[in-house]
Amino acid sequence: MDTSKVLLILISLAILLQSLELADASVKDECKIVAAADPNVDYNFCVTSLQADPRSGSADAKELAIIAANLTVANATSTLSKIEKLVGDSKIDSETKGLLNQCLSFYKDVVTAASGAIKAISSGSMGDAKKQLTEASDNPQDCDNLLFEAGKNYLLTKEDNDCTNLASIAQHIVAKLQ
Amino acid sequence: MGLLRSSPSYPWTNSMLLWQRTAFHFQPQKNWMNDPNGPTYYRGWYHLFYQYNPASAVWGNITWGHAVSLDLVHWFYLPIAMVPDHWYDANGVWTGSATILPDGRLAMLYTGSTAELVQVQNLAFPADQDDPLLLTWVKSESNPVLVPPPGIAPKDFRDPTTAWYVPSESAWRIAIGSKNDSQRHAGIALVYRTSDFLSYELLPGVLHSVAGTGMWECVDFYPVSTESATGLDTSAATGPGVKHVLKASMDDDRNDYYAIGTYEAATNAWVPDDPEKDVGIGLRYDYGMFYASKTFYDPVKQRRVLWGWIGETDSERTDLRKGWASLQTIPRTVLFDQQTGSNLLQWPVDDVETLRSGSQEFSNISIPAGSVVPLDCSTSGGAAGRGVLGPFGLLVLADDDLSEQTAVYFYFVRSTDGSISTHFCHDELRHACHPALLAADIVKRVYGSLVPVLDGETLSVDHSVIESFAQGGRTCITSRVYPTSATYGGGRLFLFNNATGVDVTAKSLKIWQMGSAFIRPFSEHDSVSLH
């Protein structure tokens, strides 16, 4: 075995591991800040959510904000299909279906707002991104309040909470970049 | 007995405690009072009900006390209007509001704390609709007319508002505050529709919610005119020239917050003009001791009138000793601030001017940096913290050597961009300060530089309570004061200027002495035949 090659590989590997470590620290740092700014966002939830995206390992703060906004879009999109299923469920009464239809439009707006925020972050308009992410974070709560009043918010509790949290993560990372 | 803390309290004398009773703020003869209830005008009389404990100077055994007045200033005590005598209000006849129907009848909705401590809404009405004094009340056979809806906690459902009429539905609506703790500890306002005040339908979707603000008590919801300096009936039509105020008392921080916005009955939605200054996170009616406030519409003088509960800031032990606790504010008119477009203006009702006796006028009093100017004839004293642009203002309830004093003052902060912000404060406690809302025109050019000009302040000093109104009523602060030597003849009034580099001129200052309103039990002599 050519020892110099092995050394090179070993050294490269060491360097690669090192930089992974540093990039991973970025996720942890950002999540520490977010958890401090928004007590509703659990630190571990933030880390796990961001790390689910493989690009988070080498992302800077701006890219992490985009990752969080993308996660928000993904969550809202899957929640939309869940809501549509519920609306089609014969076991759900018509009054609740009416409320769920309103939640549909809330979540459609989340998708629009979070997508718009991604564009804004990419072009450097952090103020605009923050506004859109605020809307993205408020709308799932509007849905929750709507269902809460009818005693039915258990239907979407987890989705509402997760979606608001993801948008909040994006929003707080963006706030730091302003 | 074992509930009283054993820490030593100040050795109040009877004379000091007796002095604390006010001359023209509503308070019962003795015992505990809190929220104003069901204020209304009815057949010639202004009515005030209030949370009242007939047995002690601390909260408990809550009934509805009752008083009437012809002018919102001279009040006459009447017998207790309602007591906890049914299972649906056995643990307290709590706060509620009056609605006057188009045919003149009065419907009173109030919260009952049931025998099981569940919060429900009940309907009461006068036993005799022709009695202008509304002495006796009847509780509806249908009570409770509202119980907490599914999902709402049994102790998060109280303080129904005055109803407003929606012509397109030929029905009324009321709002009730609550909270949603499942996600973000949001304060919310529920809305019910009713045509007879007996059966109700919960409208889907809350009127509004604000995350993080917690339980909304004493919700109030009313229209204001953005174009004329007049009050509006609670059922006034929406449209251009009308905005709606949504107000709530935050249980978490014991302060009253309001926000101005637009209401759309069809969608049961109210949207704040400025979401950054939403209910619970933005403007307060008053930056001092002021809670559980409620407005009503006075059809005689066409004004919206605000009542607020002023609690004590002394100890419970002292309250028990002096035998009473709490005051109501002088009723205030409420108007939309057409100059700023983003806040309300409050001012004591002008009826209180009838109490003025003597007056003294001062003009162009120069108050050089670091000086205290007496406004009668006593000696001056030292000064507290000093900064370049203030503080300066009045020292009230001060004794001769200023060992006791309560300061009502302003200070300015000039920021690097040259703009000036004004702060208005009570006491020497900086936490009673609030940034005063500055309008563009009140900073004038004098000798080539920008000089803040303050105009339109009024101060009411009535024994142990001070209510002050800055800049025409944009910023209000209420404080309780318990002097030990600046009492009876020992109280003095001073102007002071603690600024290090700025002289202040009091261009015009008027002091009125106020007589007593002689608030007393109603007697036959007071029964005047009216209208």
Side-chain angles (χ1 to χ4, degrees):
Chain A
M1 168 100 80
D2 192 331
T3 45
S4 61
K5 249 202 197 132
V6 175
L7 212 58
L8 198 63
I9 293 164
L10 281 170
I11 293 165
S12 317
L13 207 61
I15 293 165
L16 193 64
L17 282 168
Q18 188 94 18
S19 61
L20 270 172
E21 188 68 50
L22 285 170
D24 192 52
S26 180
V27 168
K28 290 186 173 148
D29 288 337
E30 293 299 328
C31 283
K32 270 200 194 107
I33 293 165
V34 171
D38 184 352
N40 293 299
V41 177
D42 177 60
Y43 170 79
N44 289 317
F45 169 86
C46 178
V47 171
T48 320
S49 303
L50 291 175
Q51 283 182 340
D53 187 317
R55 293 168 294 177
S56 67
S58 52
D60 62 16
K62 191 170 160 181
E63 286 156 347
L64 282 176
I66 293 175
I67 289 175
N70 264 318
L71 288 168
T72 309
V73 173
N75 174 295
T77 307
S78 77
T79 306
L80 277 168
S81 18
K82 177 169 177 184
I83 298 174
E84 265 150 20
K85 264 203 206 94
L86 287 169
V87 170
D89 187 340
S90 54
K91 285 184 252 106
I92 305 233
D93 64 79
S94 60
E95 231 184 274
T96 307
K97 285 184 182 173
L99 301 177
L100 287 168
N101 273 316
Q102 286 194 58
C103 282
L104 269 179
S105 74
F106 287 141
Y107 271 92
K108 283 186 184 137
D109 288 343
V110 172
V111 172
T112 310
S115 307
I118 292 168
K119 286 202 187 79
I121 296 168
S122 308
S123 66
S125 336
M126 297 308 173
D128 185 32
K130 192 155 168 250
K131 259 196 213 127
Q132 305 233 46
L133 290 167
T134 303
E135 188 190 334
S137 131
D138 284 347
N139 280 11
Q141 297 304 303
D142 289 341
C143 171
D144 182 77
N145 281 328
L146 193 66
L147 293 172
F148 171 79
E149 205 198 14
K152 296 280 196 296
N153 62 324
Y154 61 84
L155 291 170
L156 290 173
T157 296
K158 187 174 191 311
E159 287 78 6
D160 290 338
N161 199 34
D162 286 350
C163 194
T164 293
N165 281 344
L166 290 166
S168 176
I169 290 168
Q171 188 199 335
H172 284 102
I173 298 176
V174 164
K176 229 193 74 196
L177 293 168
Q178 269 185 302
Chain B
M1 278 114 26
L3 298 171
L4 292 176
R5 265 169 274 149
S6 59
S7 60
S9 68
Y10 185 85
W12 299 101
T13 65
N14 284 335
S15 161
M16 290 169 190
L17 293 177
L18 193 57
W19 178 90
Q20 290 176 14
R21 283 197 66 91
T22 63
F24 50 89
H25 282 72
F26 180 80
Q27 56 182 132
Q29 287 165 298
K30 57 178 185 168
N31 292 330
W32 167 275
M33 167 175 69
N34 54 297
D35 307 1
N37 298 151
T40 191
Y41 175 84
Y42 190 81
R43 302 207 187 187
W45 292 92
Y46 292 101
H47 289 259
L48 173 69
F49 302 87
Y50 50 96
Q51 297 283 279
Y52 179 63
N53 182 351
S56 172
V58 297
W59 186 91
N61 314 307
I62 290 293
T63 66
W64 271 36
H66 186 191
V68 288
S69 170
L70 293 168
D71 60 3
L72 288 175
V73 171
H74 297 85
W75 291 92
F76 302 100
Y77 305 121
L78 289 178
I80 290 176
M82 292 197 279
V83 298
D85 55 6
H86 285 76
W87 68 267
Y88 50 73
D89 58 19
N91 275 300
V93 184
W94 288 1
T95 291
S97 308
T99 304
I100 305 280
L101 306 176
D103 61 6
R105 287 179 304 144
L106 196 161
M108 193 73 84
L109 279 172
Y110 71 94
T111 298
S113 180
T114 70
E116 256 90 69
L117 296 172
V118 176
Q119 292 167 13
V120 299
Q121 317 312 324
N122 302 310
L123 174 68
F125 43 86
D128 177 5
Q129 298 268 2
D130 290 325
D131 169 23
L133 294 179
L134 300 175
L135 285 173
T136 340
W137 290 79
V138 171
K139 297 177 183 177
S140 170
E141 301 272 319
S142 309
N143 285 338
V145 293
L146 267 180
V147 299
I152 300 288
K155 291 186 185 171
D156 290 344
F157 186 63
R158 55 186 180 273
D159 313 333
T161 63
T162 294
W164 65 95
Y165 191 71
V166 179
S168 57
E169 299 176 345
S170 303
W172 299 84
R173 292 190 188 174
I174 59 163
I176 302 179
S178 185
K179 69 172 147 92
N180 173 357
D181 258 338
S182 66
Q183 300 258 335
R184 292 290 186 280
H185 193 53
I188 62 179
L190 310 170
V191 177
Y192 284 87
R193 177 197 290 138
T194 180
S195 44
D196 58 4
F197 289 82
L198 292 170
S199 69
Y200 296 78
E201 185 199 327
L202 178 62
L203 295 186
V206 297
L207 179 64
H208 194 57
S209 76
V210 181
T213 56
M215 176 69 190
W216 285 4
E217 303 190 286
C218 301
V219 167
D220 198 4
F221 184 63
Y222 58 89
V224 287
S225 169
T226 58
E227 291 165 352
S228 66
T230 176
L232 293 177
D233 185 284
T234 310
S235 296
T238 54
V242 175
K243 282 194 185 284
H244 273 74
V245 174
L246 178 60
K247 168 260 165 186
S249 296
M250 300 298 127
D251 195 19
D252 287 357
D253 75 7
R254 311 302 285 176
N255 290 314
D256 282 7
Y257 291 82
Y258 76 87
I260 302 172
T262 311
Y263 174 58
E264 205 190 274
T267 51
N268 184 36
W270 174 89
V271 176
D273 288 347
D274 182 359
E276 307 245 310
K277 295 219 180 99
D278 210 338
V279 178
I281 62 174
L283 299 173
R284 284 165 53 178
Y285 275 138
D286 189 295
Y287 293 90
M289 188 64 172
F290 180 98
Y291 195 63
S293 63
K294 187 180 288 296
T295 65
F296 75 100
Y297 177 65
D298 171 5
V300 177
K301 291 195 170 183
Q302 293 177 359
R303 54 188 175 181
R304 171 104 354 219
V305 178
L306 171 72
W307 284 98
W309 163 44
I310 308 173
E312 300 289 321
T313 57
D314 62 6
S315 67
E316 250 187 24
R317 153 180 271 161
T318 307
D319 293 345
L320 286 164
R321 190 160 154 226
K322 71 193 188 192
W324 61 272
S326 300
L327 312 167
Q328 298 292 336
T329 54
I330 302 167
R332 304 174 181 181
T333 53
V334 176
L335 286 172
F336 178 80
D337 187 345
Q338 289 178 56
Q339 250 191 328
T340 62
S342 56
N343 56 270
L344 296 173
L345 296 171
Q346 300 162 63
W347 204 255
V349 288
D350 55 20
D351 312 73
V352 80
E353 292 166 18
T354 59
L355 297 175
R356 290 175 177 170
S357 52
S359 75
Q360 283 163 286
E361 243 180 294
F362 303 84
S363 58
N364 293 314
I365 309 171
S366 172
I367 320 163
S371 67
V372 177
V373 175
L375 285 175
D376 34 19
C377 51
S378 300
T379 54
S380 59
R386 310 180 69 180
V388 175
L389 292 169
F392 62 88
L394 287 159
L395 296 173
V396 302
L397 292 171
D399 59 1
D400 274 337
D401 52 15
L402 294 173
S403 63
E404 268 188 349
Q405 57 180 255
T406 300
V408 179
Y409 61 95
F410 296 86
Y411 68 91
F412 297 103
V413 177
R414 195 195 293 276
S415 63
T416 46
D417 66 357
S419 65
I420 297 172
S421 64
T422 318
H423 295 255
F424 175 54
C425 320
H426 261 207
D427 291 337
E428 289 172 17
L429 302 168
R430 289 281 284 253
H431 76 253
C433 284
H434 183 72
L437 302 164
L438 205 67
D441 68 335
I442 81 160
V443 178
K444 297 185 178 171
R445 287 205 167 266
V446 176
Y447 309 121
S449 56
L450 286 170
V451 172
V453 174
L454 295 162
D455 202 0
E457 277 67 41
T458 196
L459 206 72
S460 144
V461 180
D462 182 9
H463 294 261
S464 61
V465 65
I466 300 174
E467 284 184 66
S468 54
F469 302 79
Q471 296 173 301
R474 270 185 203 128
T475 306
C476 312
I477 305 182
T478 299
S479 289
R480 299 305 305 277
V481 208
Y482 308 106
T484 59
S485 58
T487 57
Y488 298 105
R492 302 261 171 269
L493 185 63
F494 299 87
L495 280 168
F496 77 96
N497 176 10
N498 278 350
T500 53
V502 170
D503 293 344
V504 171
T505 304
K507 296 199 66 83
S508 125
L509 188 137
K510 199 158 178 185
I511 303 169
W512 288 275
Q513 275 156 302
M514 304 292 282
S516 169
F518 295 117
I519 298 175
R520 63 188 185 277
F522 186 93
S523 82
E524 283 315 303
H525 301 290
D526 302 313
S527 171
V528 183
S529 84
L530 306 153
H531 314 277

